[in-house]
Amino acid sequence: MSVRIDDGPELTSPIVRPRSLRMIAVYLALVVVPVALIWFTLRHGLSTPGRPSGGPAAPGVPDVFPRLLIAVPVILAACHLCGRLFRRLAQPSVIGEIIAGVLLGPSVLGALWPAGYATLFPPGLVSTLSTLSQVGLIFFMFLVGYELDLDLVRQRSYTAAVISHVSIVVPFLCGVLLALALYPVLGSGGVGQLAFTLFFGISMSITAFPVLARILSDRGMSRTPVGVMSLTCAAVDDVTAWCVLAAVVAVTRSAAADVALVTAGMSVGFFAVMAFGVRPLLRRLLGPGGLLPEAAVLPVALAGVMLSALATDAIGIHSIFGAFLFGAIMPRGSLPVRRAAGQLHGLTVTLLLPLFFVYTGLHTEFGLLGADGRLWAWCLLITAVAVLAKAGGSTTAARVSGIGWRDSLSLGVLMNCRGLTELVVLNIGMSMGVISPTVFTMLVFMTLVSTVMTAPCLDLLRRLKHDS
C-alpha cells in the first residue's frame, strides 16, 4: 500500500518526478554553484601577491590566539594535577599550583624539552599571559580584601597587635641588613640601593593570609585558640604589610622626595574617598535591601574593581592596592554580594590564577644559579634568614606576651607561611625592575620552602605535644 502526502510522489516509487528534478536544479544553482564560487575565489584570491593571507602577519611570528587555546588547557591540567597531588601530601592545593608554574617554566620544561617549551610559550604568548595574569591578580586582591575579617582587625587585642607588628619589623630589619650586603653582588643596575633594600625587606615580612586560612581550615584549627590568634595576627599583618608596600612602591616610583610626598598625599586622599564616600554608597546600593537588583551586583563589582585599580595605578602605586581596598569596603552580610564574590572566585581561582602561577614560573629560572656555589649560598642564606626572622620574631613576641611555648612555636610556624601573597610582591618588584631575575628566583625558592614547611612543622609540634 502506497502512502501519499498531498499530491506528491509515492514514497515507495523509485520514479523521479519532474518536481524532484526542479528541486535538484534549484539546489545546484543556489547552493552548489555559490559554494564552488566561494572556494574558487578564496583559492585564487588569497594566493594573489600583495594580499594578506589568513596565516601569521609576518614570517616566523606565530598567531597568538591558537597558541593560547593550546597553552591554557595544558596550564589548567598541570595546576589541577599538581594541586591534587599536594593535597594528598597534606599541603594546600595552591602550593601544587605554584609548583606547576615552575615545572612549566624554563627551569624544568625549558631545560628538559626546549623545543616543546618554545612551542608552548612563544614570545608573543608571554605578553598575553602577562595581561591575563594581571587581570587575575587584581580580582584575587579584591577577593582577599573582601574575605578579610575586618572584625578581627577592629577588635584585635594588644597581643595580636604586638605579634603581628613584630612579625613584620624583625624580618624587615633582617632583610634590610641582608640587602645591604647583597646589593653590590646582585643589585639591579638600573635601580638605586634604597629601592632594592626596601623591596627586599618587605619581601621578608609577608604572611599569606589566604593560604594560612586554607591550612587552618583543612586541619580543623580555625576555631582553636592558636588558629584564632594566628588569623587575627595575619589579618593585621596583611593590612600593615600592604600599607608598607604601597609606601615602598611610591618611594621607588618617585624620582624626588616632593614627588613621593605628592603620591603619599594622593594615596591618603584616595583612601579617604573610598572609606567615607564610596563605602556608604556601596552599602546603599549593594547592602541588604540595597537599591540595585541582584543582576547588577556583579557588573558593579567588576567595574568598581577595575576603576579602583586604575586609580591607584594612576596615583603612582600599584593597581592591586585599589582592588584590595575596594574588596575591603564591600558590604558584608549581603547575599547578592556573596554570590557575586563566589562567581568571581570561581573564575579567578580556576582560570586566571593558574595563568599567574605559570607567568611567575616563566620568570623563575633556577638555571641562572647554575652550579655557582656562591649564588646557591646566597639563596640558602636568604631562605634561612627569612624563616628564622619571621618565625623566630613571631614566636618570641608570642612567648613574651604570655602564650605557652608550644602555642608560640605553632604561631611562629603559621606566620612564616608566605605562599601566593609573596609571589604578588615579587612580581611587583620584578615588573618595576627593582630585583633582577636571579634575585627573583632566589626569593621564589625562599617562598616555596617557607610555605611547604608549614604543614610538616605543625605535624611535628602536634606529635611532640602528644608525646609529652
Side-chain angles (χ1 to χ4, degrees), residues 215-365:
I215 291 175
L216 291 173
S217 176
D218 289 346
R219 303 175 70 87
M221 296 177 59
S222 298
R223 298 186 181 275
T224 63
V226 173
V228 172
M229 178 61 71
S230 63
L231 283 175
T232 306
C233 294
V236 179
D237 191 297
D238 236 23
V239 174
T240 306
W242 290 122
C243 292
V244 173
L245 180 60
V248 170
V249 172
V251 171
T252 301
R253 285 186 168 179
S254 304
D258 56 343
V259 179
L261 290 176
V262 171
T263 302
M266 294 177 66
S267 302
V268 173
F270 175 75
F271 177 83
V273 169
M274 295 291 284
F276 301 109
V278 178
R279 185 180 183 187
L281 179 62
L282 289 176
R283 190 179 298 117
R284 291 188 60 188
L285 295 177
L286 308 179
L291 300 177
L292 292 181
E294 183 172 349
V297 174
L298 183 58
V300 169
L302 292 174
V305 171
M306 295 180 183
L307 292 176
S308 300
L310 177 64
T312 52
D313 186 70
I315 287 172
I317 55 179
H318 202 275
S319 57
I320 63 171
F321 301 110
F324 175 81
L325 183 56
F326 188 79
I329 65 173
M330 285 291 284
R332 267 64 172 177
S334 171
L335 182 59
V337 172
R338 286 202 302 269
R339 288 174 176 169
Q343 292 173 327
L344 188 57
H345 183 276
L347 172 67
T348 302
V349 173
T350 304
L351 176 62
L352 297 178
L353 274 186
L355 300 183
F356 172 74
F357 294 140
V358 171
Y359 179 72
T360 302
L362 295 178
H363 291 86
T364 304
E365 302 183 52

Side-chain angles (χ1 to χ4, degrees), residues 138-210:
I138 63 173
F139 287 162
F140 169 73
M141 292 308 301
F142 163 77
L143 293 172
V144 171
Y146 176 72
E147 294 170 1
L148 183 65
D149 192 342
L150 295 178
D151 290 335
L152 291 178
V153 180
R154 295 193 194 98
Q155 302 171 5
R156 65 184 184 273
S157 64
Y158 171 79
T159 301
V162 169
I163 295 172
S164 61
H165 290 159
V166 168
S167 72
I168 290 177
V169 172
V170 172
F172 194 99
L173 175 61
C174 293
V176 166
L177 296 175
L178 188 59
L180 292 176
L182 186 62
Y183 182 79
V185 182
L186 293 172
S188 182
V191 177
Q193 187 174 15
L194 176 61
F196 178 84
T197 302
L198 290 176
F199 253 97
F200 210 89
I202 196 65
S203 68
M204 295 282 193
S205 309
I206 296 297
T207 294
F209 180 83

